[in-house]
Amino acid sequence: NTMLDVKSCTDDFSEIVFNICSCGLGDSPDFYVGEDVGEIKCPTSEAKFEAMLEMDKWEIADEYSVLQLAGHFIGKPDAKKLYLLVYDGQNDDDEMDILDPLAPERGILVEFTREEFEDKILKIEEKVGFVVNFMKKCLKGEAKVNEINKYWNEKESRRQG
């Protein structure tokens, strides 16, 4: 859609956009669409891109990192939508790849709403809070950094049991 107000988070700002959230998470989206956020992913092969043409939006998101995508909503609390653009870049080594690099067929654009990510946002905020508290313990000498997974698994076991 050429009617969207798209701004690159690397080229259209004086500095590369990096949002530091109140929970301690850092986030760097690829682009903004008005007040909303966007991420661009490039599959490693033509076959992978073609397989994605048959996937629903959650399967496409799972190919990358749903939690990274959710982090964009945390980094931009006023964003109501997230755009995920999967782009099949031109392969200069493939003489059969003659499709224009800007051809719409090179991309899959999926949209998500904040509401669709609410449970994932809460999960990230919980994990970031845990890490911040764990690191405070490490700084006080009460825990060792390389034991973070052990502490997380124990916490999860207590919650489930």
Side-chain angles (χ1 to χ4, degrees):
N1 182 343
T2 57
M3 302 306 291
L4 297 174
D5 177 26
V6 178
K7 289 193 181 343
S8 166
C9 288
T10 55
D11 298 331
D12 293 331
F13 295 89
S14 60
E15 293 185 12
I16 294 174
V17 173
F18 187 78
N19 301 314
I20 299 175
C21 314
S22 60
C23 68
L25 180 74
D27 177 61
S28 183
D30 291 327
F31 62 94
Y32 288 139
V33 178
E35 293 299 317
D36 298 320
V37 293
E39 179 70 22
I40 300 170
K41 297 294 186 185
C42 298
T44 55
S45 71
E46 179 71 26
K48 185 170 182 170
F49 179 78
E50 288 177 5
M52 291 177 139
L53 292 170
E54 303 300 321
M55 294 179 183
D56 70 31
K57 68 183 187 178
W58 288 106
E59 291 171 320
I60 292 171
D62 283 338
E63 287 291 314
Y64 297 103
S65 172
V66 170
L67 294 180
Q68 177 197 7
L69 299 175
H72 291 321
F73 280 120
I74 297 170
K76 190 103 168 48
D78 54 340
K80 302 220 182 327
K81 284 186 183 177
L82 168 79
Y83 296 90
L84 172 59
L85 173 62
V86 180
Y87 176 72
D88 180 28
Q90 187 172 24
N91 182 350
D92 292 335
D93 296 329
D94 181 356
E95 61 187 42
M96 300 302 290
D97 188 355
I98 58 173
L99 189 61
D100 184 316
L102 299 178
E105 301 89 298
R106 286 199 180 271
I108 302 168
L109 181 65
V110 292
E111 294 180 23
F112 296 94
T113 65
R114 176 175 289 279
E115 290 77 26
E116 291 175 296
F117 269 84
E118 206 57 48
D119 61 327
K120 293 154 189 66
I121 292 169
L122 293 173
K123 183 176 181 179
I124 290 172
E125 290 174 334
E126 177 188 8
K127 282 190 173 183
V128 170
F130 170 83
V131 169
V132 167
N133 289 331
F134 182 81
M135 293 310 294
K136 287 178 183 176
K137 286 183 177 187
C138 291
L139 292 171
K140 293 178 187 174
E142 299 171 3
K144 295 179 181 175
V145 174
N146 63 349
E147 295 177 340
I148 191 166
N149 289 332
K150 176 182 141 195
Y151 281 89
W152 177 259
N153 291 337
E154 288 172 1
K155 176 186 173 297
E156 287 296 295
S157 293
R158 284 192 304 274
R159 183 165 64 175
Q160 294 172 0

